[in-house]
Amino acid sequence: MAGDPVPDRQTLGRQARPIQEALLAWYAAERRDLPWRRTSDPYSIWVSEVMLQQTQVATVIPYYLRFLDAFPTVRALAAADLDRVLALWAGLGYYARARHLHAAARLVIERHGGEVPGDPAALRALPGVGPYIAAAVLSIAFGQDVAAIDTNAARVLCRLADYDGDLTRAAGKRTLRALAATLLPAGRAAEHNAAMMELGATICLARGPRCAACPVAARCLAHGRGTEEARPMRVPKRPVPTRSMAAAYCLEEREEGALRLLLVRRRPVGLLGGLWELPGTELPPHEPPARALERLLRDDLGLEAAVGERLGAVQHAYSHFRVQVGLYRCRAAGLPRAQGPWDGARFVTAVELADLGLTGVTAKALARLGWPPAP
């Protein structure tokens, strides 16, 4: 594209060997001891890379360990029920990752005899496997010379080359790939990729980079020119809207005295697909919350319901919007029959609740309402 900023790639190319050597030496001495770095198993590495998308390392570690304990092989994951997979993923966010990983595991059994493929085209054909995850698995697990560029590595590359282009545009992405290829050392892609990501995560930070501790600061063009804080170029964020919603808290007491809570399961597509939640709805203009909930429970669940007092509210943030959810006590009669946005509905006990993946809003709401009750 005409006018697109051009990084000093020639200078970077001349500095490639000393940058590689300094970076690999630093990584060998300073690398963090992370559980996915103790294995070369393609499945385990794949799981870690899926979890690490848009999620911090400290958050991922306990989820990764629990997930592999429950599903130690791709066959175990493929044989698992989606509800169980989502229950173990609950709280990690971006649930499409879990659904895609589960679906991809089944395809690995069907197409590849239970072995994660080392062929780039076959790996990319799996659900949820984009360019970054494919490159990470191919380089780390299979030793292939492919550059893996996550957010951290992209930041390092932009600063090393003092590139001020827009990384959200096609031209910016092409330039980034070219820069990564310029620096990639043949035969050592696994270590190099990990070192680039490690440097971005611990030293070359988005704000306040620790240049004094950086092993390649002397060869970093942005640092030499004093532009490191401005790289990569920051795209202004759009305002985040807030949606007003209402959710029904319906308890049923059986003759044996066990309380059960009404939950519905979202269809396994789109945002939060496959997760369980309190029945709820976005509030239409000028309609009272109680009336909106009664209509929802009648039309989408086949329940005659009476909505009572407001019990409180919870807030939750997603990537592009926030929700403010009012919680209302509800009495309902009949057996729920899910339709509309849901493909499942039932009253569950506290024991059954533990095996279900809940939306973040529902987890917050139940904590706010004190359910399940203490034994």
Side-chain angles (χ1 to χ4, degrees), residues 22-31 188 191 195:
L23 190 59
L24 290 170
W26 169 82
Y27 179 69
E30 303 293 337
R31 58 182 284 178
R188 302 194 69 180
E191 299 163 83

Side-chain angles (χ1 to χ4, degrees), residues 123-197:
L123 189 59
R124 283 292 307 275
L126 297 175
V129 178
Y132 167 72
I133 287 181
V137 173
L138 292 170
S139 64
I140 297 170
F142 294 100
Q144 297 184 24
D145 285 336
V146 186
I149 311 172
D150 72 344
T151 303
N152 289 316
R155 185 165 56 253
V156 173
L157 287 167
C158 285
R159 286 173 174 166
L160 283 171
D162 195 28
Y163 179 58
D164 64 346
D166 184 349
L167 298 185
T168 67
R169 300 176 68 92
K173 293 175 183 178
R174 285 195 302 269
T175 298
L176 205 59
R177 290 194 295 269
L179 293 173
T182 298
L183 280 185
L184 191 69
R188 302 194 69 180
E191 299 163 83
H192 175 81
N193 286 336
M196 290 285 286
M197 293 185 275

Side-chain angles (χ1 to χ4, degrees), residues 192-216:
H192 175 81
N193 286 336
M196 290 285 286
M197 293 185 275
E198 184 83 343
L199 188 70
T202 62
I203 300 292
C204 195
L205 307 174
R207 287 177 172 79
R210 300 169 51 217
C211 297
C214 178
V216 294

Side-chain angles (χ1 to χ4, degrees), residues 313-363:
V314 293
Q315 297 181 11
H316 194 73
Y318 298 97
S319 55
H320 300 301
F321 65 94
R322 298 186 182 91
V323 292
Q324 170 89 18
V325 186
L327 308 172
Y328 292 83
R329 190 183 303 280
C330 172
R331 293 180 181 274
L335 294 174
R337 301 185 304 275
Q339 55 184 357
W342 302 306
D343 70 353
R346 60 188 173 110
F347 285 91
V348 302
T349 66
V351 173
E352 293 169 332
L353 182 72
D355 289 327
L356 301 179
L358 302 178
T359 66
V361 167
T362 295

Side-chain angles (χ1 to χ4, degrees), residues 250 294 297-299 301-307 330-335:
C250 297
E294 287 171 358
L297 293 167
R298 181 186 64 247
D299 295 348
L301 293 175
L303 296 172
E304 290 302 321
V307 177
C330 172
R331 293 180 181 274
L335 294 174

Side-chain angles (χ1 to χ4, degrees), residues 24-47:
L24 290 170
W26 169 82
Y27 179 69
E30 303 293 337
R31 58 182 284 178
R32 290 171 293 176
D33 181 22
L34 302 175
W36 44 87
R37 289 180 177 166
R38 303 170 198 158
T39 180
S40 58
D41 172 46
Y43 167 69
S44 301
I45 292 166
W46 178 22
V47 170

